[in-house]
Amino acid sequence: MQPFEENDWSTNVDVLDEVVETDVHNLVVFNDEVNTFDHVIDTLIDVCKHTPEQAEQCTLLIHYKGKCSVKNGSWEELVPMRNEICRRGISAEVLN
């Protein structure tokens, strides 16, 4: 084994010049006693483009934990999804 040479990597370090901040928001769906599992699952598939498995897992979390973050993204991306979910009678909010 060759000995470690300090100049192999430590002198050639790239430094990030600019930090780009992104605002990631969460689309959170809340539990209620009105909507059926199937309705919530179908809504998550239609609106959030979840797979059936994702939608079912989120629905179980919503039921047992009271809420679930079902989608992450920008404010502009999530607000129309939130509005459509609410239009279907399911409580949802976009949170930081």
Side-chain angles (χ1 to χ4, degrees):
M1 185 184 321
Q2 295 187 4
F4 175 75
E5 293 185 25
E6 206 172 303
N7 62 2
D8 282 348
W9 63 272
S10 61
T11 56
N12 298 324
V13 176
D14 292 330
V15 177
L16 181 64
D17 292 332
E18 182 180 348
V19 174
V20 178
E21 291 188 29
T22 57
D23 279 339
V24 176
H25 294 80
N26 298 306
L27 176 57
V28 178
V29 175
F30 297 94
N31 189 38
D32 62 33
E33 301 300 321
V34 177
N35 292 292
T36 65
F37 278 80
D38 286 340
H39 179 61
V40 176
I41 289 168
D42 291 342
T43 298
L44 294 177
I45 291 170
D46 292 343
V47 175
C48 299
K49 306 304 180 207
H50 281 196
T51 64
E53 294 80 12
Q54 283 176 302
E56 184 177 347
Q57 289 174 353
C58 285
T59 302
L60 287 170
L61 287 170
I62 293 164
H63 179 72
Y64 288 110
K65 299 290 186 178
K67 64 183 177 180
C68 178
S69 176
V70 297
K71 193 84 169 176
N72 299 325
S74 69
W75 179 266
E76 294 78 16
E77 175 187 12
L78 298 180
V79 167
M81 291 181 186
R82 180 255 178 211
N83 292 343
E84 180 58 24
I85 290 170
C86 290
R87 190 189 71 72
R88 296 179 186 210
I90 300 169
S91 178
E93 292 295 332
V94 177
L95 306 173
N96 285 339

